[in-house]
């Protein structure tokens, strides 16, 4: 059975990269797969409380990400929407995976190196072990497909390595307990569409991110129409008009980024966007992009505001989702325990 899992951290503001690279893709997969979408609150606390804002902010942000899922079109009745910490099996399986993954594998993770910075000795153990929890998130449901942006690719490769090593280390026991050759699937990353890596609006060589000090580097999902328009008008570009073919975007990272954003918002491709705007000046293209972005994003922002005004409703969605998630995770975790040799 094919099953999708993905997660978004409740830290800071959701931005256009999160939407185009992940959440919009989550929506599209609902017709084909059984989907489980998770607000990964346990991942959010791997950095200092001053970074994620402390308990009240974590709760607010967990509800806001949930509201974004629903506002973007994820259907919590047909699929599962919940927050990670309500399903204890994630942490349980993560411990087993901590004992499967090797220090050397985790040492290679570029996200850890970036987030830990120069003072690695001061990073939390949780930040280092982050990818084993992420592998557990996915494999505790035996998910087969994981939609993410480009920046999560390395973590998904590690998830496959962990699944493979578990399957090999416990091969005999897995055969005895389940009759099959492997317990965990080798999950496929789903990194698709024209906006798998949305870049900063101020610097085409930097990823759009929650942590960039300049708010003008990103469009937040909660920005109003005027703010969106201003940010796009101020976005960095080069002096040339737009090319008419994709090859013409080579070496023009800012142009490539804006064309990719347009294509993703319009459910189109770079080639089609350039067929329409090739030869146009950025002033013309940006005006069209403002109209498109406002038309697509303003209704989501409005729906998020409506939903977050009723936290009780959001909490009920999360609780129901968590119950349904647990119903899938618990028997898989029971199987893992039997395979490992934990008595129950
Ligand atoms: P997070 O919360 O940083 O980001 C959520 C999703 O948004 C994507 N993304 C982007 N896509 C395109 N352009 C960008 N500039 C951009 N910035 C972020 C991310 O790739 C991601 O898909 N470790 C994950 C959360 C996680 C997870 C999981 C994901 C925890 N467990 C299990 C999948 C499966 C993270 O920090 O995403």
């Amino acid at each position: 059975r094919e099953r999708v899992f993905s997660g978004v951290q409740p830290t800071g503001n959701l931005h256009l990269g999160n939407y185009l690279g992940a959440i919009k893709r989550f929506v599209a997969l609902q017709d084909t797969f059984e989907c489980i979408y998770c607000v990964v609150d346990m991942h959010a606390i791997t950095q200092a409380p001053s970074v994620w804002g402390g308990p009240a902010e974590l709760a607010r942000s967990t509800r806001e990400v949930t509201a974004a899922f629903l506002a973007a079109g994820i259907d919590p009745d047909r699929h599962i929407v919940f927050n990670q910490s309500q399903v204890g099996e994630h942490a349980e399986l993560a411990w087993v995976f901590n004992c499967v993954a090797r220090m050397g594998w985790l040492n290679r993770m570029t996200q850890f190196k970036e987030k830990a910075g120069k003072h690695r000795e001061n990073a939390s153990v949780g930040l280092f072990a982050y990818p084993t929890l992420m592998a557990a998130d996915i494999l505790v449901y035996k998910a087969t497909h994981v939609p993410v942006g480009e920046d999560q690719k390395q973590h998904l490769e590690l998830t496959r390595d962990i699944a493979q090593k578990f399957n090999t280390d416990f091969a005999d026991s897995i055969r005895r307990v389940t009759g099959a050759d492997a317990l965990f699937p080798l999950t496929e990353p789903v990194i698709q569409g024209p906006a798998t890596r949305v870049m900063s609006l101020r610097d085409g060589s930097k990823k759009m991110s929650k942590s960039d000090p300049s708010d003008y580097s990103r469009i937040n999902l909660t920005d109003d129409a005027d703010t969106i328009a201003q940010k796009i008008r101020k976005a960095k570009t080069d002096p040339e008009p737009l090319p008419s073919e994709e090859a013409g975007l080579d070496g023009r990272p800012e142009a490539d980024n804006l064309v990719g954003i347009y294509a993703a918002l319009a459910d189109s491709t770079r080639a089609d966007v350039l067929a329409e705007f090739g030869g146009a000046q950025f002033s013309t293209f940006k005006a069209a992009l403002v109209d498109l972005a406002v038309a697509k994003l303003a209704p989501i922002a409005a729906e998020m505001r409506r939903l977050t005004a009723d936290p009780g409703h959001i909490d009920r969605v999360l609780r129901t989702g968590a119950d349904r998630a647990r119903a899938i995770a618990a028997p898989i975790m029971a199987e893992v325990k039997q395979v490992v040799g934990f008595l129950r």
Side-chain angles (χ1 to χ4, degrees), residues 142 163 167 171 174-175 178-185:
K142 297 188 180 176
N167 287 341
I174 291 170
R175 232 167 276 126
T178 69
D181 286 337
L183 189 71
F184 292 120

Side-chain angles (χ1 to χ4, degrees), residues 92 330-331 333-335 337-338 341-344:
E92 258 186 301
M333 196 58 217
E335 221 176 24
K337 287 182 175 175
Q338 221 186 328
F342 292 150
L343 291 179
R344 37 191 279 118

Side-chain angles (χ1 to χ4, degrees), residues 30-42:
Q30 292 184 112
D31 293 331
T32 326
F33 294 94
E34 171 193 12
C35 301
I36 306 176
Y37 295 129
C38 185
V39 187
V40 290
D41 50 5
M42 288 159 67

Side-chain angles (χ1 to χ4, degrees), residues 10-12 41-59 61 122-124 127:
T11 38
D41 50 5
M42 288 159 67
H43 279 102
I45 66 166
T46 49
Q47 288 183 285
S50 60
V51 175
W52 47 268
E57 172 58 19
L58 181 61
S61 188
N122 288 336
S124 76
L127 187 66

Side-chain angles (χ1 to χ4, degrees), residues 6 9 17-18 130 134 137 148-149 151-152 196 198 207-208:
S6 198
Q9 289 197 58
N18 299 129
Y130 183 114
M134 182 161 157
D137 296 338
V148 284
D151 62 339
Q152 296 300 313
T196 56
V198 177
K207 195 178 68 173
M208 184 178 285

Side-chain angles (χ1 to χ4, degrees), residues 189-208:
V190 183
I191 303 174
Q192 285 172 350
T196 56
R197 187 174 173 81
V198 177
M199 307 307 279
S200 158
L201 299 180
R202 307 300 294 163
D203 178 350
S205 69
K206 279 196 341 206
K207 195 178 68 173
M208 184 178 285

Side-chain angles (χ1 to χ4, degrees), residues 97 105 109 130-139 143 146 152-166 184-188:
F97 286 171
W105 299 0
M109 294 295 112
Y130 183 114
T132 62
L133 178 58
M134 182 161 157
D137 296 338
I138 297 163
L139 294 173
V146 180
Q152 296 300 313
K153 195 172 171 199
Q154 194 185 33
H155 287 156
L156 293 184
E157 282 159 8
L158 188 90
T159 300
R160 291 167 69 97
D161 291 341
I162 290 175
Q164 181 100 64
K165 187 164 179 349
F166 183 95
F184 292 120
L186 300 185
T187 303
E188 295 287 335

